[in-house]
Amino acid sequence: MNNTISKWKAQSQEETFAIWKSPSNIALLKYWGKREGQLPVNPSLSFSLSEAYTITKITATPDKLNAGITGINNNTEHPFLQKIKPFWQTVIKEIPLLKDYRIAIETENTFPHSAGIASSASGFSALALCFISLAEKISGNQLSEQEFLQSASALSRQGSGSACRSVYGGFTVWGETHLWKNSSDIYAIDINEDIHFDFKQLHDAILLISSKEKSLSSSKGHILMNNHPYAAGRILQANQHLELFRKALSEGDFDLLSETSEAEALSLHALIMSSAGGEILLQPQSIELINRIRLARKNGLKIFFTIDAGPNIHLIYPESEKINAELYIRNELQDICPAEKIIFDKTGKGATKIH
Ligand code: PMV
């Protein structure tokens, strides 16, 4: 994170607040496995969503005796508190001027908990953005926009790795790679200037197979990569996939983009299945959808899939294919989803401050 923030001093003793809206994101190249300090073992690439976001307001009141997070939405037993409390320790290490403040959090998601969309990415990035805004307000300092987003990305990462990619709109890369000189393991970077016009607006239709809690949390999954027999091969493959993604996304090569995305999603599940415990997260309906999507693409429809660590299928298509793809989804795919539930989302503009 930006070192200067840790040296900022409080210039005001007033109660103050910050509000941010931050989106979830969908990774085409998956972050899977981490090192100490929530640093990734391989680079990842994603795009931010538009409809799935979290709005968070944090109120900070000077109060040494009751410093720390008091609750979420006035609830001192809120389930998210267990995840946020350790994050608060990171926040005050990075931004010591906040340590004598009582923190009240009000937050809401635009998507249901069970929607198959990672709420940790939007949730932690919204929190990080608010904390940095509060630090600016309390200290009277102001970062440049780039420094602000970079610091927010670095802080978000320490809450949930994938959250660091949510602060920017469009496409981002997190993890050091020779392909982008300014890339870093510490924060994500905006790579939109390398994206071909055809892919600037991608759609993500989330075909919901199950909204049950995942049997394998991503934190457990990352740990299982530590002694994974295929770890070295995976890191090599992820870096090769990044080269292919860069080529496909910058040249507007749809075939390369779809093949690489699907190979990547299936690799993630192959790694999960070959980890200790051998979890199978895909359901029969997930496989049926995969087969139908591939057949439709063979017949000329510009659609492909990606999958996170769960059974739900993210169907991706460019703006130019929206009408045909959505007709196909309703006619041929919807009935396979047990509750016939589909969430339609698309590339979004990233986090925004609410005044
Ligand atoms: O940020 P985490 O710890 O929830 O991990 C995210 C893991 C994946 O969603 C499977 C991949 C990714 O890069 O988002």
Side-chain angles (χ1 to χ4, degrees), residues 25-34 38 42-46 83 118 120-121 157 159-165 174 214 217-220 222 264 268-269 272 307-310:
N25 66 74
I26 178 72
L28 298 181
L29 177 60
K30 313 289 178 182
Y31 149 55
W32 200 241
K34 61 180 163 190
Q38 200 118 281
N42 65 266
S44 56
L45 180 149
S46 67
K83 284 191 179 169
S120 59
R157 183 199 92 242
S160 169
S162 56
C164 76
R165 300 185 308 239
W174 168 38
K214 286 187 287 184
S217 69
S218 53
S219 10
K220 264 204 190 134
H222 291 301
E264 181 58 26
L268 171 71
H269 282 266
I272 292 169
I307 320 170
D308 266 348

Side-chain angles (χ1 to χ4, degrees), residues 72-329:
I72 301 177
N73 298 342
N74 285 323
N75 179 356
T76 52
E77 311 275 305
H78 196 285
F80 200 39
L81 272 173
Q82 280 191 347
K83 284 191 179 169
I84 291 189
K85 290 223 160 138
F87 181 56
W88 171 247
Q89 296 308 317
T90 307
V91 172
I92 55 175
K93 208 174 100 223
E94 303 279 3
I95 318 174
L97 72 75
L98 290 176
K99 79 175 187 333
D100 294 334
Y101 282 79
R102 177 159 42 87
I103 301 293
I105 299 172
E106 291 158 71
T107 189
E108 65 181 82
N109 292 339
T110 55
F111 50 100
H113 179 62
S114 54
I117 300 171
S119 58
S120 59
S122 56
F124 277 107
S125 54
L127 284 173
L129 288 153
C130 286
F131 282 127
I132 299 197
S133 273
L134 287 170
E136 278 193 336
K137 277 187 164 180
I138 294 170
S139 69
N141 289 301
Q142 202 170 1
L143 298 167
S144 69
E145 191 188 339
Q146 207 215 338
E147 285 172 330
F148 186 97
L149 292 177
Q150 208 169 75
S151 303
S153 176
L155 188 58
S156 310
R157 183 199 92 242
Q158 297 177 74
S160 169
S162 56
C164 76
R165 300 185 308 239
S166 275
V167 303
Y168 306 101
F171 282 86
T172 63
V173 159
W174 168 38
E176 205 176 316
T177 159
H178 70 277
L179 298 172
W180 280 275
K181 286 212 168 55
N182 54 339
S183 59
S184 169
D185 285 348
I186 293 173
Y187 45 78
I189 57 163
D190 176 327
I191 58 157
N192 289 300
E193 64 177 35
D194 295 316
I195 305 298
H196 190 278
F197 177 80
D198 292 357
F199 298 152
K200 291 243 182 237
Q201 183 68 272
L202 289 183
H203 290 262
D204 176 9
I206 306 155
L207 308 167
L208 279 178
I209 305 298
S210 166
S211 44
K212 275 206 217 118
E213 180 107 3
K214 286 187 287 184
S215 56
L216 177 77
S217 69
S218 53
S219 10
K220 264 204 190 134
H222 291 301
I223 293 169
L224 289 173
M225 284 310 289
N226 289 343
N227 299 310
H228 198 288
Y230 306 146
R234 162 61 188 161
I235 294 169
L236 205 67
Q237 180 202 44
N239 281 286
Q240 285 164 350
H241 280 171
L242 187 59
E243 298 209 9
L244 299 177
F245 275 123
R246 186 186 164 117
K247 184 170 161 45
L249 287 167
S250 61
E251 292 175 5
D253 185 337
F254 179 80
D255 291 343
L256 185 60
L257 180 63
S258 37
E259 279 157 24
T260 314
S261 172
E262 295 187 356
E264 181 58 26
L266 296 179
S267 272
L268 171 71
H269 282 266
L271 289 166
I272 292 169
M273 285 187 231
S274 51
S275 292
E279 297 265 1
I280 303 174
L281 303 183
L282 297 175
Q283 294 289 322
Q285 294 99 326
S286 321
I287 310 282
E288 179 61 26
L289 286 170
I290 289 172
N291 289 333
R292 290 199 189 186
I293 292 164
R294 287 182 155 175
L295 185 62
R297 188 163 71 252
K298 217 165 159 195
N299 293 332
L301 195 63
K302 285 193 162 179
I303 57 175
F304 64 90
F305 65 81
T306 184
I307 320 170
D308 266 348
N312 305 316
I313 303 293
H314 290 250
L315 186 72
I316 315 289
Y317 44 96
E319 177 68 22
S320 60
E321 201 69 327
K322 182 173 166 17
I323 293 174
N324 292 335
E326 291 177 7
L327 203 65
Y328 177 75
I329 292 171

